[in-house]
Amino acid sequence: MRRIRTADDQGTDRAQDVDADVAGAVERVLDEVLGTRLAEAAATDALFGRDIAERVARFTLGGGKRLRGRFVWWGLRVCGGGGETAGAALRLAAALELVQTCALVHDDVMDGAELRRGRPALHAEMRGQYAHQPGQERSARRAETFGRATKTSGRSAESFGRSAAILAGDLALAWADDIVLDTSFPASARSAVHTLWRTMRTEMVAGQYLDLHGQVTACRSPARAVRTARLKSARYSVERPLLMGAALAGADDRTAGALRSAGRCAGLAFQLHDDLLGVFGAPEETGKPSGDDIREGKLTYLTTVARARAEAAGDDGALGVLDAALGDPDLSAAAVDRVRDVFVSTGARAALEDKVEILADRSVAYLAGLRRADPAALRHLHALLRATAGARPHAPPGGSPVTVPVVAARAGER
């Protein structure tokens, strides 16, 4: 006798389909959601829809490894979730991709970065589109005549590009909030998910401010560098998405605690490895010029460790190289090479690489606390945590390593 398939069966099948291609499933939800948002934007104003909304959609769909969405999904699955919560998890994942768009677009504006994912950053693209408009030409002529632009002289293309990009980032964040607001979560999980979402947004802004503050004050504290890394990237990239998935699955406090610790370690390793890529990574792989963090005077753990080691060794030469280079926007390629040499000679690079491996090991060790986890999901999460950390592949207990795409690369997603 043929068994009638129930809604639970169909939900399980859907979850297993997503397991096979989480990134693809997230992109399908994104495509659907963004299609609706683009239609609404075009109805509001055609120019706004074309210049801003379409750019937000293209940026969001045009790159990235869907890292944060994958952590939502495997946080859900490792806690036994799926079925009827699969749709809510994928919508959360889509919302996180839009948060990432907001973060990257705003970050590029604040850093003055010209490239993102191997293409012009959004503010640079907007600037280029309107560089030869009549208002821009009038502004240039009046600046030439009076020695400066006046309030009535129009807006420069540079200023326009930055301002438009800020609006694009704002729109991405608004769309992300809309998705969360419009998603039907289980009653038992709704409050926890919304609390995590609010906390994550505040942490991101706090981390970005600490990043800016570190540059303007030339802060040299390794502890502050770690704090900045945790808030700006680590928590919203790994820890919070994992906990959102766990909350959807109804995880108990012990399980959520294990995932929180695992995500915190992997998330910090992710940012530290990203700092290494920013200095030693190949531009064709990272999608951004090498050495930009040095030129911007970023408060990275790498630079603070190098300085601390040089001071301890009384290495005035290394300190002189760092003092001359950090924060110099016109730093030459040869000068960047000298900074790289300092990072190597002081042992800062090796120390960071060791720390990444230690954090990755600690991260997956916390998974031992998930005593009732689905073994297949646990293997996937184990592999994803190590890949995100930028650590060497390592077989999880009781199984072969699962292959996942490399995720800790700037061209993929910070």
Side-chain angles (χ1 to χ4, degrees):
M1 179 172 149
R2 184 177 178 183
R3 189 171 72 88
I4 298 174
R5 289 167 53 78
T6 66
D8 286 344
D9 294 330
Q10 293 168 10
T12 300
D13 286 349
R14 183 187 182 189
Q16 291 172 347
D17 288 342
V18 174
D19 288 348
D21 184 12
V22 179
V26 174
E27 287 177 9
R28 286 190 290 275
V29 174
L30 262 177
D31 197 53
E32 179 183 348
V33 169
L34 289 174
T36 301
R37 294 294 183 267
L38 285 175
E40 293 172 350
T44 299
D45 183 81
L47 177 62
F48 162 72
R50 183 178 68 249
D51 275 9
I52 301 297
E54 288 184 12
R55 273 190 169 88
V56 169
R58 281 198 303 271
F59 187 98
T60 306
L61 292 169
K65 304 296 192 300
R66 312 307 175 207
L67 171 65
R68 292 149 192 86
R70 288 155 69 187
F71 275 116
V72 172
W73 183 256
W74 292 115
L76 174 82
R77 296 293 279 153
V78 82
C79 295
E84 63 182 19
T85 55
L90 292 174
R91 285 180 60 84
L92 264 179
L96 283 165
E97 289 300 319
L98 283 161
V99 170
Q100 174 71 344
T101 292
C102 169
L104 294 179
V105 169
H106 283 175
D107 196 49
D108 287 343
V109 170
M110 285 182 264
D111 291 344
E114 290 293 301
L115 291 177
R116 171 66 64 181
R117 297 170 178 165
R119 298 184 54 192
L122 195 145
H123 69 92
E125 189 178 84
M126 293 295 294
R127 180 186 67 215
Q129 180 178 346
Y130 288 96
H132 304 293
Q133 297 299 306
Q136 167 64 15
E137 292 171 3
R138 283 197 302 272
S139 178
R141 286 197 301 270
R142 291 179 67 87
E144 215 174 281
T145 302
F146 297 105
R148 62 182 177 85
T150 67
K151 281 189 175 182
T152 60
S153 65
R155 181 181 290 275
S156 71
E158 182 73 34
S159 172
F160 170 79
R162 290 194 302 266
S163 300
I166 290 170
L167 292 175
D170 290 346
L171 181 65
L173 184 58
W175 282 354
D177 283 343
D178 288 345
I179 293 173
V180 175
L181 184 64
D182 293 342
T183 298
S184 177
F185 299 112
S188 57
R190 188 180 303 117
S191 177
V193 170
H194 285 173
T195 297
L196 286 165
W197 184 261
R198 289 194 301 271
T199 300
M200 178 196 71
R201 290 180 309 173
T202 302
E203 288 170 342
M204 283 177 56
V205 176
Q208 186 65 64
Y209 177 71
L210 291 181
D211 186 36
L212 294 171
H213 186 271
Q215 293 176 59
V216 76
T217 61
C219 182
R220 301 176 179 181
S221 165
R224 175 61 66 85
V226 169
R227 179 71 174 164
T228 302
R230 285 194 189 281
L231 289 173
K232 182 182 177 185
S233 180
R235 287 189 178 171
Y236 98 90
S237 294
V238 184
E239 180 186 342
R240 298 308 182 194
L242 262 180
L243 291 176
M244 288 178 196
L248 277 177
D252 58 30
D253 290 344
R254 179 173 182 173
T255 300
L259 288 174
R260 178 182 296 106
S261 298
R264 189 161 294 186
C265 290
L268 179 57
F270 168 67
Q271 184 57 47
L272 297 183
H273 185 244
D274 190 71
D275 291 344
L276 286 168
L277 287 173
V279 177
F280 295 100
E284 60 270 19
E285 294 177 3
T286 65
K288 296 191 74 174
S290 185
D292 272 4
D293 285 355
I294 299 170
R295 295 183 178 92
E296 293 159 15
K298 289 272 188 180
L299 174 63
T300 67
Y301 189 64
L302 178 63
T303 58
T304 60
V305 169
R307 186 181 293 280
R309 285 172 170 255
E311 288 175 347
D315 190 342
D316 292 336
L319 289 171
V321 169
L322 293 175
D323 287 338
L326 294 175
D328 179 358
D330 300 317
L331 200 65
S332 67
V336 171
D337 283 339
R338 289 193 288 274
V339 176
R340 290 193 188 101
D341 290 341
V342 167
F343 288 155
V344 173
S345 65
T346 59
R349 178 180 182 174
L352 245 71
E353 290 172 342
D354 289 344
K355 191 171 184 66
V356 164
E357 291 293 331
I358 290 169
L359 285 166
D361 288 342
R362 287 178 180 170
S363 175
V364 297
Y366 281 115
L367 299 184
L370 307 179
R371 296 182 177 178
R372 298 181 181 178
D374 174 77
L378 193 59
R379 287 195 297 274
H380 276 280
L381 181 55
H382 181 285
L384 183 58
L385 286 167
R386 290 196 67 85
T388 299
R392 293 182 293 270
H394 185 276
S400 302
V402 175
T403 301
V404 299
V406 175
V407 292
R410 291 190 170 204
E413 282 301 81
R414 283 188 65 229

